[in-house]
Amino acid sequence: MAKVSVLNVAVLENPSPFHSPFRFEISFECNEALADDLEWKIIYVGSAESEEFDQILDSVLVGPVPAGRHMFVFQADAPNPSLIPETDAVGVTVVLITCTYHGQEFIRVGYYVNNEYLSPELRENPPLKPDFSQLQRNILASNPRVTRFHINWDNNMDRLEARENQDSSLGCGLPLSCTPIKGLGLPSCIPGLLPENSMDCI
Amino acid sequence: MKLLKPTWVNHNGKPIFSVDIHPDGTKFATGGQGQDSGKVVIWNMSPVLQEDDEKDENVPKMLCQMDNHLACVNCVRWSNGGMYLASGGDDKLIMVWKRATYIGPSTVFGSGGKLANVEQWRCVSILRSHSGDVMDVAWSPHDAWLASCSVDNTVVIWNAVKFPEILATLRGHSGLVKGLTWDPVGKYIASQADDRSLKVWRTLDWQLETSITKPFDECGGTTHVLRLSWSPDGHYLVSAHAMNNSGPTAQIIEREGWKTNMDFVGHRKAVTVVKFNPKIFKKKQKNGSSAKPSCPYCCCAVGSKDRSLSVWLTCLKRPLVVIHELFDKSIMDISWTLNGLGILVCSMDGSVAFLDFSQDELGDPLSEEEKSRIHQSTYGKSLAIMTEAQLSTAVIENPEMLQYQRRQQQLDRQGPAARDTGSASSVAGVVNGESLEDIRKNLLKKQVETRTADGRRRITPLCIAQLDTGDFSTAFFNSIPLSGSLAGPMLSSHSGPQLLPLDPGMPIPFSSSKPSTEPAAGTRPVGDAASKDGVNTATAPTTPSPSVLTTPSKIEPMKAFDSRFTERSKATPGTPALASTTPTATERLREQSLVKELRPRDVLESSSDSDEKAPAAKPSSLPKRKLELEGEAVEKKKKGRPRKDARLLPMSLSMQSPAALTAEKDTVCVSVPAPLKLPMPGPQRAFTLQVSSDPSMYIEVENEVTAGGGLKLSRLKCSREGKEWETVLPGRILTAAGSGDVVCVACEKRMLSVFSACGRRLLPPILLPSPISTLHCTGPYVMALTAAATLSVWDVHRQEVVVKEESLHSILAGSNMTVSQVLLTQHGIPVMNLSDGKAYCFSPSLSAWNLVSDKQDSLAQCADFRSSLPPQDAMLCSGPLAIVQGRASTSGRQAARLFSVPHVVQQETTLAYLESQVAAALTLRSSHEYRHWLLLYARYLVNEGFEYRLREICKDLLGPVHTSTGSQWESTVVGLRKRDLLKELLPVIGQNLRFQRLFTECQEQLDLLRDK
């Protein structure tokens, strides 16, 4: 079973100018004290078309992690605009927070990010060369997409094959046109009621 | 009957393999396949039961879901107490879940906030042992054990109070084991496997009782599960998939002789699951019909691969109801509600059905009392102890009681959070006085960030809550090592000396006890050896007696801690075996053997315990010194000091035997023909005695100090925390003893002198009726045990007699018994531990000997009151009773006997044992122990529901509310105020709603008294 489960990720200072750092407040819970540190990464997806434009904004070790609930703020600098294809600068993209233990990724939290000009004029007539200083970044904090992977938490156990969550297709290859949908997991409970089948006793 | 399929109970269309209703009926668990893992979901029951709740959006349907199993969950089972949920799955693991109380509702992150985990259930134990998929798990009655079975062909029994301890692995099946059921009275567990056999195992020794194969011979193919079930009355065991005349059946196996004559027939495909209704029913009495008592019967639900469910009553030949086409796929599990009227069924198709019966259809369920009566009449034992679930339905009549219960619940809720040293936040999320909000504001600034050696950022996360896991309160239950470690230092430090075996056969805590006849026989050669040469032990060191018998009077540990050193260093040449007097018994044995090797001649002096060595120790030639000493002894004899016949006293008296023999030879002074003689200390030149180590106090005695003019005096020196005093006495000092208040010495000519702590003589010498054997002091009390086996105790402060020349005849009568240990309590109650393991105290008020301990007491061995032990202090209760009784690991024995003794017998023995403990503590006037045992006893009475005795206790503790002159009632008992005791008892009584009337009565009267 997963030793670490993420309880919440709060997106701080959102929306914010394009150049301001990303700040995520991450709370997680750990069942058993971990021998080693967790490694967290923030990955900015520069272009939906290719992983090539992914930028690892920062990676940080978190530890020591005893059993219990913990929280920390993960701050990372804004992406380097020069690495972003000009055509993809404005519009919806994705930022990913991943966590690995012993090099195995066990959770990936994805957010849609909408970059757009604040001023209506620029919105109407975007400059050919994107003006990043005028862009506002808006993370759709209410709709995280969470994918969990099974990993081997113990060194002594046979390494389990990390299997990707089947229903969650969020990743680097996420089509940009995809609109946020309801969260992963069970569909909401529809309080459906069957007509009662009354049967007489034999 | 009503039928409902709550569609919202699903695993997203994935199969549901198991369902189980919580004993309190408010929730149920399902287990099965999740997205890519196993899944356990806990659901709210009320939307199933009530349509209004189902429609109400504010009533949560799902309470918690756990995706922690790596693979499909095959079985979920609540413990009988409802505290734990066990789940087993294809990942070979069993997980035990417990509700976390400190966290409020939370959402599964990323789930859009809709799937609030209303309750937090977290895994407290992961049980790993199986090498294959776990197919079924089952809690034993009483939740003492958890059994699991697996496709690895084994059944594993886990110690449910001490996970992950494995008590047994049952091997014998040659196929996948797919179902388990416990006998409701706890004697057996049955398992069914793909190897076409059903095996019944005994819980007593975890061995196979029987293997039933005949009904399964024809079984072909496999079913996913084979969940069998035992009827609540214990009479029938019903198997899953069996065959009769090529038709699938559920085989009925009778407990009596494991006969297989009946079966439930009718399903078209293999039976996968059988589940008995937990209730036993009797026919509904109809108005007008003759009220003839009908036989109670059981009710059983059978689910099959043919997707249909049948419900049977054991009094009917045909099924009560058959429901076809209930599901699209095979039925996987069935669970009854505790009231016996509802049933949840789950299927491989991922849906669940609920059936609701009425009492008209099933009959009148028997009450738990009636059910336990059936158990008792059939098996002489019952496990039917009123459960919490039933209690919760009882009406609380008294606001006090209600308050109390609420307080308890609050405490229970706060308990874990409060324990976690304040850093664990409760629901409000307060860490060290700061609210979670405050923390979050400053988290970025506050959090510790460092750089690793390779320059990477490393953040130390802020811990906002600790986990309240792992609180199976087993701390006490591991009492075998615990009591050992407690008893170890305690006995070795202070009661070690007093437990030195005067008789080697005396059962002492360190050596395995031998039957008392053995040493008696064994010592004979020693006596013979002694009588043959009559010389070899003339050096009898005699110090054992004083030191052995005087130091232990104090109860505080560490008292006699290092007396060993002082004694050894002070030993005079005439006392060669001194070294062996005070070390702890184990050390001592080792040392003795060393002594034996080095100095075989001294073997007898060191009260050797191995009889075969004794003859070998006979000296062929006698050292001169010994001859001289022997001469001295004889000389003393001639002075008219009576010596006793050693033969009555085994081993311990071997040191006296030469003297006794000379006495016989001389026939001079066999002055006391009493049949009982106790060992006497012989004269020594000098000896030292440590009275206590904290404060450091020791007594030095030097005899025959030449005072000039041919005068010889004895000098008594006492040192206490550096302050010394000295005094001289005319006669030789034989033995000495001291306490914080007094120092006393016994001299020749039967004189006993008593001094104050500062060396002032308190009394003129007391003339003892016969020579001293053992002298002992505790507080102001002085105890003298004479060689003629009479006992006197004086209170020297008040200058009163407490026990007057009481003979030990009655307790030493017959056989070769000796006094192995003496003890004087702080209240001046003398206690004699005898070589046969019995201990008597003399009650001055009753003027009689009372048996306070018996090592062979079968009561102590059968008594089982673990459930009533308070969680914390438990074994820490020390006092004279604890010392006298030693700290045998009775709880271990109890645990072993948990199910082997019929419950009624066990109840009776436990009651009797606890009562005798209370009485013994009372007689010993040990208030601390009295309170301990009284509370324990009361708790047991409460737990087991003995009202009359409980009422009597309360009545006595309460006394008359209105003072009446004629009342004989004492307001205190052994220094404790009875009403204070009653106040302590009240919360205990309040734990059982059954006693709420008693609780109210006492509460009211106490209030009344307080107001006065």
Side-chain angles (χ1 to χ4, degrees), chain B residues 610-666:
Chain B
S610 57
D611 24 274
E612 71 277 1
K613 288 206 178 168
K618 272 194 285 180
S620 48
S621 67
L622 297 167
K624 199 181 171 195
R625 181 170 57 83
K626 289 195 172 181
L627 276 172
E628 279 169 4
L629 284 167
E630 191 233 357
E632 192 179 79
V634 172
E635 191 182 294
K636 265 179 238 132
K637 185 98 318 95
K638 283 177 180 163
K639 280 180 188 164
R641 297 180 56 232
R643 291 284 173 151
K644 58 241 115 245
D645 187 344
R647 281 197 210 144
L648 286 172
L649 304 167
M651 191 50 91
S652 58
L653 292 188
S654 59
M655 47 188 98
Q656 264 76 37
S657 50
L661 285 163
T662 38
E664 274 169 26
K665 277 183 210 153
D666 296 353

Side-chain angles (χ1 to χ4, degrees), chain B residues 326-524:
Chain B
L326 190 56
F327 297 103
D328 295 336
K329 286 182 180 169
S330 166
I331 288 175
M332 296 307 292
D333 203 2
I334 300 172
S335 178
W336 287 89
T337 58
L338 202 68
N339 68 13
L341 296 175
I343 184 170
L344 268 174
V345 189
C346 71
S347 161
M348 189 91 109
D349 70 8
S351 67
V352 165
F354 180 70
L355 279 73
D356 190 17
F357 293 92
S358 71
Q359 289 202 358
D360 289 330
E361 291 157 349
L362 295 184
D364 279 341
L366 298 188
S367 66
E368 284 304 299
E369 277 95 42
E370 289 171 298
K371 192 169 145 186
S372 68
R373 219 170 294 138
I374 289 180
H375 282 170
Q376 285 189 4
S377 64
T378 320
Y379 312 107
K381 129 184 208 174
S382 165
L383 293 177
I385 290 168
M386 208 174 183
T387 65
E388 293 289 329
Q390 290 167 290
L391 276 176
S392 64
T393 60
V395 178
I396 298 177
E397 297 166 7
N398 175 359
E400 286 276 357
M401 187 80 181
L402 187 65
Q403 271 180 10
Y404 172 74
Q405 296 260 334
R406 283 200 188 135
R407 268 202 306 275
Q408 280 296 105
Q409 282 168 4
Q410 275 172 5
L411 281 177
D412 288 351
R413 240 176 278 138
Q414 290 163 1
R419 269 203 303 278
D420 288 343
T421 62
S423 67
S425 61
S426 58
V427 185
V430 177
V431 181
N432 299 329
E434 256 182 306
S435 80
L436 206 56
E437 280 312 302
D438 294 340
I439 292 169
R440 291 178 62 175
K441 274 183 212 154
N442 300 316
L443 185 57
L444 186 60
K445 285 176 213 152
K446 277 192 167 180
Q447 78 187 10
V448 182
E449 196 172 311
T450 51
R451 292 269 167 186
T452 58
D454 51 354
R456 302 190 56 190
R457 285 168 70 195
R458 182 180 195 235
I459 295 173
T460 304
L462 182 76
C463 181
I464 52 173
Q466 283 162 7
L467 295 187
D468 58 343
T469 54
D471 54 351
F472 286 100
S473 55
T474 55
F476 169 64
F477 193 63
N478 311 337
S479 60
I480 301 156
L482 182 74
S483 64
S485 62
L486 268 178
M490 193 171 163
L491 289 175
S492 58
S493 60
H494 74 98
S495 53
Q498 74 199 79
L499 288 172
L500 282 184
L502 293 184
D503 175 343
M506 188 203 79
I508 55 169
F510 297 99
S511 64
S512 58
S513 58
K514 296 180 239 167
S516 57
T517 51
E518 210 178 274
T523 50
R524 193 57 10 134

Side-chain angles (χ1 to χ4, degrees), chain A residues 1 7 25 29-30 37 39 58-59 61-63 68-71 73 75 148 186 193 199 202, chain B residues 1 3 5 12 51 54 68 70 103 109 122 320 440 444 447 456-459 462 464-465 467:
Chain A
M1 62 183 275
L7 300 172
E25 179 205 272
E29 185 173 279
C30 178
D37 288 353
E39 183 180 5
D58 204 351
S59 115
L61 297 173
V62 169
R69 287 189 159 192
H70 310 274
M71 65 197 297
V73 174
Q75 177 173 324
R148 296 178 173 87
L186 296 178
L193 179 68
M199 266 177 79
I202 297 170
Chain B
M1 189 200 76
L3 175 80
K5 278 191 87 172
N12 285 7
E51 199 177 330
E54 190 175 20
N68 305 43
L70 294 177
I103 317 169
F109 176 65
R122 65 182 62 261
L320 180 69
R440 291 178 62 175
L444 186 60
Q447 78 187 10
R456 302 190 56 190
R457 285 168 70 195
R458 182 180 195 235
I459 295 173
L462 182 76
I464 52 173
L467 295 187

Side-chain angles (χ1 to χ4, degrees), chain A residues 1-2 6-10 12-13 23 25-32 37 39-41 58-76 107 109 111 142-146 148-151 154 157 160 163-167 182-202, chain B residues 1-8 10-12 14 35-39 41 43 51 54-55 57 61-62 65 67-71 91 93 95 97 102-104 106-112 114-115 120 122-123 126 128 319-323 357 361 436 439-441 443-444 447 449 452 454 456-467 469:
Chain A
M1 62 183 275
V6 173
L7 300 172
N8 192 35
V9 176
L12 305 180
E13 289 158 40
R23 269 184 203 165
E25 179 205 272
I26 299 168
S27 21
F28 63 94
E29 185 173 279
C30 178
N31 295 323
E32 288 173 61
D37 288 353
E39 183 180 5
W40 294 81
K41 275 183 202 154
D58 204 351
S59 115
V60 66
L61 297 173
V62 169
V65 184
R69 287 189 159 192
H70 310 274
M71 65 197 297
F72 69 100
V73 174
F74 190 1
Q75 177 173 324
I107 191 163
V109 180
Y111 286 98
S142 56
N143 269 304
R145 301 291 312 270
V146 181
R148 296 178 173 87
F149 308 97
H150 287 295
I151 61 158
D154 300 308
M157 279 172 65
L160 293 159
R163 286 170 294 165
E164 192 160 341
N165 219 328
Q166 294 161 356
D167 82 326
K182 280 239 172 95
L184 152 113
L186 296 178
S188 58
C189 302
I190 304 147
L193 179 68
L194 269 194
E196 276 185 7
N197 265 347
S198 255
M199 266 177 79
D200 280 334
C201 209
I202 297 170
Chain B
M1 189 200 76
K2 292 181 201 163
L3 175 80
L4 171 76
K5 278 191 87 172
T7 47
W8 45 269
N10 62 56
H11 285 199
N12 285 7
K14 300 266 167 35
Q35 303 296 352
D36 59 340
S37 62
K39 182 173 216 152
V41 186
W43 306 88
E51 199 177 330
E54 190 175 20
K55 286 176 177 161
E57 294 241 332
K61 295 191 171 60
M62 183 191 290
Q65 58 169 328
D67 296 327
N68 305 43
H69 272 284
L70 294 177
D91 53 3
L93 304 180
M95 294 192 188
W97 306 85
Y102 75 98
I103 317 169
S106 75
T107 58
V108 171
F109 176 65
S111 60
K114 295 257 177 169
L115 298 161
Q120 305 293 319
R122 65 182 62 261
C123 182
I126 300 179
R128 297 167 220 254
L320 180 69
V321 61
V322 181
I323 303 159
F357 293 92
E361 291 157 349
L436 206 56
I439 292 169
R440 291 178 62 175
K441 274 183 212 154
L443 185 57
L444 186 60
Q447 78 187 10
E449 196 172 311
T452 58
D454 51 354
R456 302 190 56 190
R457 285 168 70 195
R458 182 180 195 235
I459 295 173
T460 304
L462 182 76
C463 181
I464 52 173
Q466 283 162 7
L467 295 187
T469 54

Side-chain angles (χ1 to χ4, degrees), chain B residues 10 20 96 171 224 265 390 469 476 494 677 717-718 770 822 909 952:
Chain B
N10 62 56
D20 200 35
V96 181
R171 296 172 207 279
H224 189 82
V265 197
Q390 290 167 290
T469 54
F476 169 64
H494 74 98
K677 305 255 173 85
K717 210 193 240 179
C718 177
S770 54
V822 295
T909 53
E952 193 183 62

Side-chain angles (χ1 to χ4, degrees), chain B residues 52-109:
Chain B
D52 290 345
D53 285 344
E54 190 175 20
K55 286 176 177 161
D56 188 345
E57 294 241 332
N58 297 321
V59 176
K61 295 191 171 60
M62 183 191 290
L63 299 178
C64 187
Q65 58 169 328
M66 299 92 99
D67 296 327
N68 305 43
H69 272 284
L70 294 177
C72 184
V73 174
N74 291 314
C75 189
V76 286
R77 292 290 181 258
W78 297 99
S79 64
N80 298 291
M83 174 115 69
Y84 301 108
L85 174 72
S87 59
D90 284 355
D91 53 3
K92 307 168 191 173
L93 304 180
I94 298 126
M95 294 192 188
V96 181
W97 306 85
K98 184 176 184 249
R99 188 167 169 192
T101 45
Y102 75 98
I103 317 169
S106 75
T107 58
V108 171
F109 176 65

Side-chain angles (χ1 to χ4, degrees), chain A:
Chain A
M1 62 183 275
K3 284 189 183 175
V4 171
S5 58
V6 173
L7 300 172
N8 192 35
V9 176
V11 182
L12 305 180
E13 289 158 40
N14 188 47
S16 63
F18 185 85
H19 287 297
S20 59
F22 282 94
R23 269 184 203 165
F24 296 99
E25 179 205 272
I26 299 168
S27 21
F28 63 94
E29 185 173 279
C30 178
N31 295 323
E32 288 173 61
L34 299 180
D36 296 297
D37 288 353
L38 296 168
E39 183 180 5
W40 294 81
K41 275 183 202 154
I42 298 181
I43 301 167
Y44 188 82
V45 178
S47 166
E49 265 71 59
S50 161
E51 288 186 31
E52 190 187 323
F53 298 105
D54 284 2
Q55 293 185 40
I56 296 177
L57 300 186
D58 204 351
S59 115
V60 66
L61 297 173
V62 169
V65 184
R69 287 189 159 192
H70 310 274
M71 65 197 297
F72 69 100
V73 174
F74 190 1
Q75 177 173 324
D77 289 336
N80 182 351
S82 63
L83 299 176
I84 299 172
E86 286 179 6
T87 49
D88 291 315
V90 181
V92 178
T93 182
V94 163
V95 65
L96 300 169
I97 303 167
T98 69
C99 187
T100 57
Y101 185 67
H102 287 165
Q104 312 162 81
E105 181 176 335
F106 65 90
I107 191 163
R108 166 170 292 215
V109 180
Y111 286 98
Y112 294 99
V113 178
N114 191 18
N115 293 312
E116 59 183 3
Y117 292 109
L118 263 184
S119 71
E121 300 94 73
L122 285 172
R123 241 187 258 185
E124 292 293 318
N125 304 301
L128 228 68
K129 189 168 168 64
D131 181 359
F132 286 97
S133 62
Q134 294 298 311
L135 276 177
Q136 193 203 44
R137 179 179 68 218
N138 190 356
I139 302 170
L140 296 176
S142 56
N143 269 304
R145 301 291 312 270
V146 181
T147 315
R148 296 178 173 87
F149 308 97
H150 287 295
I151 61 158
N152 174 21
W153 291 91
D154 300 308
N155 293 321
N156 54 348
M157 279 172 65
D158 296 335
R159 202 187 154 108
L160 293 159
E161 262 183 50
R163 286 170 294 165
E164 192 160 341
N165 219 328
Q166 294 161 356
D167 82 326
S168 174
S169 55
L170 186 83
C172 304
L174 183 88
L176 279 175
S177 58
C178 175
T179 47
I181 50 160
K182 280 239 172 95
L184 152 113
L186 296 178
S188 58
C189 302
I190 304 147
L193 179 68
L194 269 194
E196 276 185 7
N197 265 347
S198 255
M199 266 177 79
D200 280 334
C201 209
I202 297 170

